[in-house]
Amino acid sequence: SQQGEEDPQALSIQEGENATMNCSYKTSINNLQWYRQNSGRGLVHLILIRSNEREKHSGRLRVTLDTSKKSSSLLITASRAADTASYFCATIMIYNQGGKLIFGQGTELSVKP
Amino acid sequence: EPEVTQTPSHQVTQMGQEVILRCVPISNHLYFYWYRQILGQKVEFLVSFYNNEISEKSEIFDDQFSVERPDGSNFTLKIRSTKLEDSAMYFCASSEVGTSGVDTQYFGPGTRLTVL
């Protein structure tokens, strides 16, 4: 099954505006994580929200989690050109020794100066 | 701040050749992972490694792939006989703990593998 499907696939906004990206998933989760990837670069961990949390903040980032709807959203407030990147949500599939991340397709965010 | 490092940043190889991608995980981490991302596609899990053995692998991780922790710091991914479809960005990741399922995995910058 597909886990961590984001929408929109692409989002273009002006600097200073807020950007909201959504993620839906299919199975029950232990936590959900958001990552950022600048073009052709590595994945940078942004924020982790546990299944018993509903909202979490980190600087200009706000993540919400609705386990009843199996969805999460990432809000970036007062966006900057440097926020231009792809954003991925990832759920974790736990096994005996660890957990593997299942990534969505990502939302490509473009912030125009 | 400690980080995961990977070398080389870009590797070009001929089809059928062996390649070894190298990673240095964060020093106090115990769980190590390889993921890959084919251009324009999702990041996909390949394999995880704990206590000197593979703990989980995906169907992508066939007999052509192997992982090793040859010393106390390096973690390597070997592709024995590369195919064109192995061209991708390969990411190494590590986490401090793994069984709780709530731990963050920290990713390296990736190695772009191009198979000609």
Side-chain angles (χ1 to χ4, degrees):
Chain A
S1 63
Q2 296 285 345
Q3 286 281 73
E5 296 297 324
E6 294 93 338
D7 79 87
Q9 290 188 343
L11 180 61
S12 182
I13 59 174
Q14 293 295 130
E15 209 166 27
E17 292 179 341
N18 295 341
T20 300
M21 289 158 272
N22 302 298
C23 167
S24 61
Y25 57 90
K26 288 189 164 49
T27 63
S28 61
I29 60 169
N30 186 293
N31 67 62
L32 186 142
Q33 305 182 41
W34 284 90
Y35 284 82
R36 185 185 75 208
Q37 183 182 34
N38 288 67
S39 181
R41 306 290 296 277
L43 293 156
V44 175
H45 182 261
L46 295 176
I47 199 163
L48 180 154
I49 186 164
R50 290 176 169 74
S51 59
N52 61 353
E53 296 175 312
R54 291 295 166 260
E55 189 170 310
K56 202 160 180 180
H57 295 253
S58 177
R60 292 183 296 113
L61 306 180
R62 182 173 80 110
V63 168
T64 62
L65 180 65
D66 186 337
T67 52
S68 66
K69 293 181 180 174
K70 291 188 167 57
S71 68
S72 173
S73 68
L74 170 67
L75 168 68
I76 304 174
T77 59
S79 63
R80 305 167 183 165
D83 294 329
T84 295
S86 291
Y87 292 82
F88 298 89
C89 69
T91 55
I92 193 158
M93 189 170 290
I94 299 170
Y95 47 85
N96 193 31
Q97 291 289 351
K100 59 184 179 185
L101 292 173
I102 310 295
F103 286 87
Q105 196 75 28
T107 292
E108 202 171 308
L109 175 65
S110 173
V111 182
K112 298 188 189 317
Chain B
E1 188 175 320
E3 56 184 21
V4 177
T5 59
Q6 290 185 243
T7 53
S9 56
H10 191 186
Q11 173 94 45
V12 181
T13 190
Q14 295 290 327
M15 195 168 57
Q17 294 295 304
E18 175 184 285
V19 293
I20 297 176
L21 310 183
R22 300 179 195 281
C23 168
V24 179
I26 294 173
S27 62
N28 64 331
H29 286 187
L30 302 176
Y31 296 80
F32 314 114
Y33 313 85
W34 284 101
Y35 292 81
R36 79 169 186 193
Q37 184 182 33
I38 294 171
L39 188 64
Q41 296 187 24
K42 295 182 185 185
V43 176
E44 303 171 286
F45 169 80
L46 289 178
V47 67
S48 62
F49 194 84
Y50 168 72
N51 200 26
N52 280 319
E53 59 183 27
I54 290 173
S55 47
E56 178 79 5
K57 60 182 181 179
S58 72
E59 57 194 28
I60 302 167
F61 194 88
D62 61 22
D63 292 343
Q64 292 299 313
F65 291 89
S66 62
V67 289
E68 196 178 28
R69 188 151 162 84
D71 53 43
S73 59
N74 290 285
F75 179 50
T76 61
L77 174 69
K78 182 194 288 187
I79 309 175
R80 249 178 284 283
S81 177
T82 49
K83 306 184 189 74
L84 295 176
E85 55 265 36
D86 294 328
S87 293
M89 187 77 118
Y90 288 81
F91 295 107
C92 173
S94 68
S95 63
E96 191 169 355
V97 296
T99 53
S100 68
V102 294
D103 194 39
T104 298
Q105 293 182 19
Y106 293 90
F107 283 74
T111 292
R112 181 167 297 285
L113 176 66
T114 302
V115 182
L116 303 175

